[in-house]
Amino acid sequence: KVENAPEAIALNFINAYYFNLLEGIDDSNWFEAQPLTDNFKKVYRNQEKAIKISEQILEGKKVSKADRRFVEKYSVDYSPIFGAAILDLETDSVFAVESYDKKTGIVTLKDEKTEIELPVKVVNVKGKWLIEGAGTVNISN
């Protein structure tokens, strides 16, 4: 159903993304092919980079002031999108659609095992549904 497009896009992306994380698959081609806004991709990559810089700081390596500022702006715990919730998810966690708010564009996904909820923001760009935010990426708390 076309009316379910926003929910389906959110659900398919998050479940596939989580599977890839669990399997240790870092597939940039897959990521690039996903229905994501450029802004989402940019913030996601910045979070990945900030996590790497944070690890260098924790290891006692020298990082530039610019890198420290970058980390302050983009750093998230453990993982982009899931943040610290990644620690509480099960290996067989699967998300389902809990709700969709047409006004805000937020699709709330819920893991049926742990009941952890994950917001995904969808936007319609030129007739296509794209993900603008998910979890720690572009979603204001």
Side-chain angles (χ1 to χ4, degrees):
K1 289 179 186 170
V2 174
E3 65 184 13
N4 293 337
E7 294 100 315
I9 294 242
L11 191 64
N12 294 341
F13 172 72
I14 292 301
N15 280 327
Y17 175 80
Y18 185 59
F19 175 82
N20 287 350
L21 265 186
L22 287 178
E23 297 295 313
I25 301 166
D26 183 11
D27 187 349
S28 55
N29 292 336
W30 176 84
F31 187 79
E32 280 304 317
Q34 295 308 297
L36 307 169
T37 64
D38 290 341
N39 188 36
F40 179 98
K41 290 178 187 177
K42 179 184 150 224
V43 174
Y44 178 89
R45 287 204 191 88
N46 286 346
Q47 288 187 357
E48 279 190 321
K49 181 179 167 191
I51 289 170
K52 286 191 177 93
I53 297 169
S54 295
E55 287 166 358
Q56 292 172 346
I57 293 169
L58 287 172
E59 290 163 8
K61 294 181 177 149
K62 279 194 172 156
V63 300
S64 67
K65 278 192 179 130
D67 277 352
R68 284 187 185 273
R69 279 197 299 273
F70 186 86
V71 165
E72 280 168 26
K73 184 171 180 186
Y74 289 106
S75 191
V76 291
D77 291 334
Y78 303 104
S79 142
I81 297 181
F82 291 113
I86 194 81
L87 302 176
D88 298 319
L89 289 168
E90 305 283 333
T91 53
D92 56 353
S93 284
V94 175
F95 288 88
V97 175
E98 179 78 2
S99 64
Y100 172 47
D101 183 332
K102 286 189 164 114
K103 275 199 185 88
T104 61
I106 299 281
V107 178
T108 302
L109 302 178
K110 187 176 188 176
D111 169 31
E112 294 158 338
K113 281 266 191 269
T114 62
E115 304 209 331
I116 289 172
E117 292 189 349
L118 186 79
V120 180
K121 184 174 174 68
V122 291
V123 292
N124 196 310
V125 180
K126 297 177 185 159
K128 279 184 75 175
W129 287 102
L130 300 175
I131 295 170
E132 169 65 11
T136 62
V137 180
N138 289 343
I139 303 262
S140 43
N141 298 356

